[in-house]
Amino acid sequence: MIPAELAGLIQSLRPLWALELLLLHRKPEQACRVDDLVVELRSSRALIDGVLSRLHELGLVERQPDGTYRYRTAAPALEDLVGELDRLHAERPLAIAQAIHGAPDEK
């Protein structure tokens, strides 16, 4: 069972690409270019742009003046939640993926 405090964050990480991008680039010192993320994640620019916009809205990344993105949470409590999510994803990736895919579609 996924702890209740993570439920909202997990359900906000639709599509699953958002979780992958968030956890792969959880280093504040590392700036990521959109084009590099497209290649690394074998995705499309439109999808990566959408995921980064969503992560920015959630307070998980910030856009730099040069157009790159950095992982940076808006609050320490959010950093704790992402750490817990990372731990749970390592232990139970299928449960996390199912929770994301089971989230209602916002469209």
Side-chain angles (χ1 to χ4, degrees), residues 9 26 58-60 71-83:
L9 178 60
R26 198 173 156 224
L58 294 169
L60 298 169
Y71 170 79
R72 185 152 303 142
T73 57
L78 198 50
E79 173 64 33
D80 293 342
L81 281 176
V82 173

Side-chain angles (χ1 to χ4, degrees), residues 42-63:
R42 298 182 198 141
S43 186
S44 70
R45 182 171 182 94
L47 182 72
I48 296 299
D49 280 337
V51 165
L52 288 169
S53 292
R54 182 68 180 142
L55 293 175
H56 184 265
E57 290 170 9
L58 294 169
L60 298 169
V61 299
E62 66 180 24
R63 189 168 197 265

Side-chain angles (χ1 to χ4, degrees), residues 8-20:
L9 178 60
I10 289 169
Q11 292 177 353
S12 297
L13 294 175
R14 188 176 178 118
L16 189 58
W17 289 104
L19 173 68
E20 296 299 325

Side-chain angles (χ1 to χ4, degrees), residues 19-39:
L19 173 68
E20 296 299 325
L21 194 149
L22 176 64
L23 298 181
L24 282 174
H25 294 282
R26 198 173 156 224
K27 303 170 197 87
E29 69 281 358
Q30 178 185 7
C32 300
R33 292 178 345 110
V34 173
D35 291 336
D36 293 338
L37 294 171
V38 168
V39 171

